[in-house]
Amino acid sequence: MGTATKLIPSLDLIERVVAAEAAYTLSRLQVLERLPGNPVAVAYRQPDDGVVAFMARHLPVPSFNSVVGLRAGQEQHIEPLARWYRDNGVKPRFELVPGLSDAKLCRELARLGFFQSEFHTAVICEPDLPLPDAGEIAIETVTTSDVLDEFLDAHAAGWQIPDPKGFKANVRGWLGQPGWSLYLARVDGQPAATGILYVHHGVGYCADAATDPTFRGRGLQTAMLRRRIADARAVGVDLVCSGAQYLSTSHRNMERVGFRVLFVRSVWTAV
């Protein structure tokens, strides 16, 4: 691939990626938690080393109502956490990562009425990955409230968020969040695609990319990935990661740029 050192899969890399993903999710939830009155009812628990249980009682986003970081020997936390979600009227999901989890975790989830319902891919690449020029695609970092407004419009369109006005009001705190960089791509001057880079303990996490359906099929997300990898390299990370549904368009875009699979997590939900 033309890089000086190729990252070889290891437990250390897995743990760092899981920790970066969890830290980003926590950061997103804390933006909502700081809204007056905590209207989304954000809560979280950390019952053991590396384990985080997230809850957003009034916002049924799967990643906001998940348990992440479970490791072999931590099955005793599953039943109390399942009860916590049930008592709050929330349907949780438990994410198990190969290399960290074991059969006892799976058996305990099955005993409590959970089953493996989907997969999610985590990918990595070296920060010094050779990257071609983005061509005519203009990508800018978001630094002002006016550009943030355009960013959020494109982001809401890309994710087909049903209440764009409410979404924008709730997440204006994204601008200036520690470790975050927001990116906006334009087509003929129009806001078209978005992406986020989150940097955590030497890991650059390419998160939450979206493209307005009007502008899909133009290579915007490929260019967005390349820009974020380059910016992650510039701030000194030694690992870049991202994630997507297995074999989704996003996953395939990541592979084309040079990412490769580190692991495929299993997601467990109630029967």
Side-chain angles (χ1 to χ4, degrees):
M1 294 176 63
T3 57
T5 303
K6 183 175 181 178
L7 296 167
I8 303 300
S10 67
L11 285 178
D12 176 65
L13 289 183
I14 291 171
E15 289 172 346
R16 292 180 67 198
V17 168
V18 170
E21 292 173 337
Y24 173 72
T25 301
L26 179 60
S27 182
R28 278 200 64 175
L29 284 172
Q30 286 172 333
V31 170
L32 298 174
E33 186 183 26
R34 288 193 293 267
L35 295 172
N38 189 12
V40 177
V42 169
Y44 36 88
R45 290 184 172 183
Q46 296 174 284
D48 207 337
D49 182 40
V51 182
V52 189
F54 302 110
M55 183 188 294
R57 187 153 46 91
H58 301 315
L59 187 60
V61 174
S63 63
F64 290 173
N65 295 281
S66 295
V67 178
V68 301
L70 281 168
R71 290 162 169 76
Q74 295 178 330
E75 62 274 3
Q76 71 276 12
H77 299 306
I78 295 174
E79 187 167 10
L81 289 173
R83 186 183 311 115
W84 177 56
Y85 285 109
R86 185 175 62 248
D87 290 347
N88 283 278
V90 173
K91 295 180 179 180
R93 68 180 201 168
F94 289 79
E95 299 182 2
L96 297 187
V97 172
L100 301 183
S101 59
D102 66 356
K104 289 183 179 179
L105 291 172
C106 298
R107 280 197 291 268
E108 180 64 2
L109 285 166
R111 184 184 74 83
L112 294 169
F114 291 87
F115 78 109
Q116 183 180 323
S117 57
E118 62 179 282
F119 297 96
H120 191 271
T121 308
V123 296
I124 59 170
C125 72
E126 295 76 13
D128 57 346
L129 192 71
L131 301 169
D133 187 82
E136 297 181 358
I137 297 174
I139 299 175
E140 62 188 283
T141 55
V142 179
T143 59
T144 68
S145 58
D146 287 345
V147 178
L148 176 66
D149 225 41
E150 295 179 292
F151 170 97
L152 295 176
D153 283 335
H155 200 76
W159 284 103
Q160 297 181 311
I161 293 173
D163 178 18
K165 184 177 180 180
F167 164 74
K168 291 173 66 174
N170 287 344
V171 301
R172 292 191 181 279
W174 285 5
L175 185 61
Q177 272 286 97
W180 289 48
S181 296
L182 308 179
Y183 298 87
L184 175 64
R186 298 181 186 273
V187 172
D188 297 327
Q190 298 299 308
T194 63
I196 298 171
L197 173 66
Y198 178 67
V199 177
H200 175 78
H201 293 175
V203 177
Y205 178 38
C206 295
D208 284 326
T211 302
D212 184 324
T214 306
F215 300 104
R216 287 177 183 166
R218 306 192 187 197
L220 293 170
Q221 286 305 327
T222 298
M224 188 72 73
L225 285 168
R226 290 169 176 160
R227 170 63 183 273
R228 287 181 288 174
I229 293 169
D231 285 3
R233 176 175 62 237
V235 297
V237 308
D238 62 348
L239 166 66
V240 181
C241 66
S242 192
Q245 292 294 321
Y246 186 69
L247 289 184
S248 63
T249 299
S250 294
H251 177 196
R252 293 165 67 83
N253 284 339
M254 293 168 188
E255 293 275 357
R256 290 188 185 98
V257 169
F259 283 93
R260 57 193 183 277
V261 174
L262 176 63
F263 60 81
V264 178
R265 63 167 52 83
S266 63
V267 177
W268 293 66
T269 53
V271 173

